[in-house]
Structure formats: structure tokens, C-alpha cells
Amino acid sequence: MPYETILVERRDRVTLVTLNRPQALNALNSQVLAELLDAFAAFDADPDQGCAVLTGSAKAFAAGADIKEMQAQGIADMYAADFFAGWDRFTRTRKPIIAAVAGFALGGGCELAMMCDFILAADTAKFGQPEVKLAVTPGMGGSQRLTRAVGKAKAMEMCLTGRMMSAEEAERAGLVSRIVSADDLVEEALKTAAMIASMAPLAVLANKEMVNAAFETGLGMGVQFERRLFHALFGTADQSEGMAAFVEKRAGVWTGK
Ligand code: CAA
């Protein structure tokens, strides 16, 4: 499928996806969603790809869901289409996705960054859930994911006031894993992605799955889930190889089996 709103590049085992609607500050409309779903399904299905980076422009990762697309919709349209439900498919991507965020990540933009597995932020990044100013609320999971990431106090303040959080505040609050200079953002994200993509593929999938389970389950079930996945990896050739390589003081060579 040819893309008009995103750019997709493959760099060895890393897929770089760039949101590319500069005229609308990468606002997320139905076409962007469809193209992202297609691109990430292809990424997930490609055994030669190990990790992805999702980024935007220097000015905006994404300034939200497309307000102009939503403006004329009524409740019947929204409910019948189960508007935004398509984003659930994005979150079912099994391989890791790093959000590399510079500039505005607002509304759906912040929500999309939070759907990724972690966020690397440029020092220029600004995060916010300003939907209240449009007389609506987050609709792509922001009230839930932001609250889990930064706690109730900050999430509530941000949702109720629509104020933006700087990169520094976002890092202190645990929303982003690291801040890098805007000039280095994409290269740093690609370097991190390349490191992840060099690990044993099944171990990468299992690590992502179990950390995500922390959001869905209680502690006891989560620890049990972790242990069972840990056990399961002892059925893989890469586990034997990884531990043998350590003992023999050499690098592991992975088969993904
Ligand atoms: N939807 C549609 N178009 C958008 C947009 C959005 N979310 N954000 C920006 N644009 C468009 C603007 O309309 C403008 O287009 P025109 O040139 O045709 O007028 C263009 O992008 C450039 O934007 P600005 O001129 O506004 O740029 P700025 O630098 O002055 O301001 C900004 C930047 C502060 C990010 C401002 O654009 C803004 O406030 N955007 C909207 C942010 C927002 O409310 N996001 C939440 C959307 S609702 C949502 O996301 C629901 C959900 O939970 C999923």
C-alpha cells in the first residue's frame, strides 16, 4: 500500500516510521491510522525487523486527533464507527516500538506516544491532553495511560487544565525514559532500536509482553505471568545459545528459535 501521510524506511533490522502531515502538524486522521496500522502489521510480520521507531517532525510529533475530521461528527457516527477503536490494533503490535518525540505531543499525539513501548523525548518535547479546551476528553486512552505513567495528581491536573508538560517535567514524572537533544533524537532512537533488534527476538517479545502485563494485572498474577514466560524461554534454542555464549565469553548468535 503506498503511503501519503507517513514515511517508512528500513535500516537493517530497524523500521523508522515518520508521521508526515506537516500542514496539519501531523494531526491523526483516519488515513494516518490506516497507514500506520498497515505499516506496523508489515513490521510485525517481517522476521528481518526487530524494533521500530515512530517519530514526527521537529515541530510536532502529532498535535492530536484531527479536529477538522471530528468537528461535524455526531454521537451516532462516533458510536457506529466505534471511532478510535482502530488504535487498539496498533497497541497489539508484538515487537517493540520506540516513540521519538520532539515538539508537540498533544491529545491523540500524546496518546499515540504512550501506546508505544517507551518514549525518548527531545528537549523540545511538550506533552499535553488539551481536549478539555475543545469541550471533550481524551479518547485514545490518554486518561488511563497518562494516569498509570505519571500518577493521578499530574494526570488529573493535565486533563482538567489542558496545560502542557515540558520534557524535563515528563522525565521527572516517569512519562519518558530519557531526554536527548533535539538534533540527536532520531539517531539516538535508532541506535537504541538497533540494540533492541540485536537481542534474541523471542526474548524481546517476552520482555515486552511481561512489562505490559504490569498494566493489566495485579502483582501476584503479573509475577506468575513473568515466571511462566521466563520458563517458556528455556524451550528456545536462543536461550541455550545466550547462556553458552556468556560462559564461553563470546557474542550470542540468534536464530529466533
Ligand atoms: N487537528 C487538525 N488540524 C490541526 C490540529 C489538529 N489536532 N493541530 C493543528 N492543526 C492544523 C491547524 O489547524 C493549522 O492548519 P491551517 O494552517 O490550515 O490553519 C496547522 O495545523 C498549523 O497549526 P497552528 O497554526 O495552530 O500552529 P501553531 O504553531 O500556532 O500552534 C498548536 C500549534 C499549539 C499545537 C496548535 O495547533 C493546537 O493547539 N492544536 C490543537 C491541539 C489539540 O487540541 N489537540 C487535541 C485534539 S483532540 C484529540 O486529540 C482527541 C483525542 O483524545 C484523540
Side-chain angles (χ1 to χ4, degrees), residues 44 94-96 200-210 229:
D44 232 11
R94 296 190 67 203
K95 293 176 190 167
L202 296 175
V204 169
L205 290 186
N207 274 281
K208 169 168 171 165
E209 201 177 358
M210 67 174 66
L229 266 180

Side-chain angles (χ1 to χ4, degrees), residues 4-240:
E4 292 173 349
T5 66
I6 61 173
L7 305 170
V8 180
E9 294 165 53
R10 293 203 166 74
R11 307 230 186 139
D12 196 15
R13 288 181 49 76
V14 172
T15 299
L16 172 63
V17 178
T18 306
L19 297 164
N20 188 34
R21 284 189 79 206
Q23 71 286 6
L25 300 185
N26 293 332
L28 305 166
N29 63 11
S30 309
Q31 186 179 4
V32 178
L33 170 60
E35 293 184 3
L36 283 176
L37 291 180
D38 190 76
F40 281 99
F43 157 71
D44 232 11
D46 185 344
D48 292 332
Q49 294 300 292
C51 188
V53 172
L54 176 62
T55 196
S57 68
K59 177 161 182 185
F61 176 74
D66 192 314
I67 298 167
K68 292 165 189 168
E69 185 179 64
M70 293 184 289
Q71 185 183 4
Q73 307 270 334
I75 182 172
D77 311 306
M78 286 296 202
Y79 189 58
D82 202 4
F83 199 76
F84 287 154
W87 291 102
D88 294 346
R89 271 176 61 202
F90 179 86
T91 66
R92 288 198 289 273
T93 309
R94 296 190 67 203
K95 293 176 190 167
I97 306 172
I98 303 172
V101 175
F104 297 111
L106 300 179
C110 185
E111 293 169 295
L112 175 57
M114 292 190 291
M115 284 180 216
C116 297
D117 296 299
F118 60 93
I119 302 174
L120 280 188
D123 42 15
T124 58
K126 293 181 202 67
F127 300 88
Q129 297 292 158
E131 290 90 344
V132 70
K133 296 183 186 173
L134 301 167
V136 291
T137 66
M140 286 165 50
S143 63
Q144 307 304 299
R145 291 196 178 91
L146 187 65
T147 306
R148 281 165 168 76
V150 305
K152 180 182 169 187
K154 266 189 199 297
M156 189 67 91
E157 188 199 348
M158 288 179 68
C159 288
L160 291 178
T161 66
R163 87 164 168 87
M164 292 185 215
M165 204 188 253
S166 67
E168 289 76 28
E169 186 180 359
E171 188 189 31
R172 276 199 310 275
L175 179 59
V176 312
S177 68
R178 274 189 292 137
I179 301 177
V180 296
S181 82
D183 289 345
D184 298 336
L185 176 69
V186 174
E187 280 316 311
E188 186 57 34
L190 289 171
K191 213 163 81 187
T192 306
M195 181 185 289
I196 293 168
S198 76
M199 306 292 175
L202 296 175
V204 169
L205 290 186
N207 274 281
K208 169 168 171 165
E209 201 177 358
M210 67 174 66
V211 174
N212 279 335
F215 285 89
E216 307 286 349
T217 58
L219 180 63
M221 285 305 293
V223 170
Q224 176 88 339
F225 181 72
E226 175 192 279
R227 197 180 303 129
R228 291 290 174 253
L229 266 180
F230 175 75
H231 295 163
L233 289 172
F234 282 73
T236 67
D238 282 346
Q239 174 273 329
S240 309

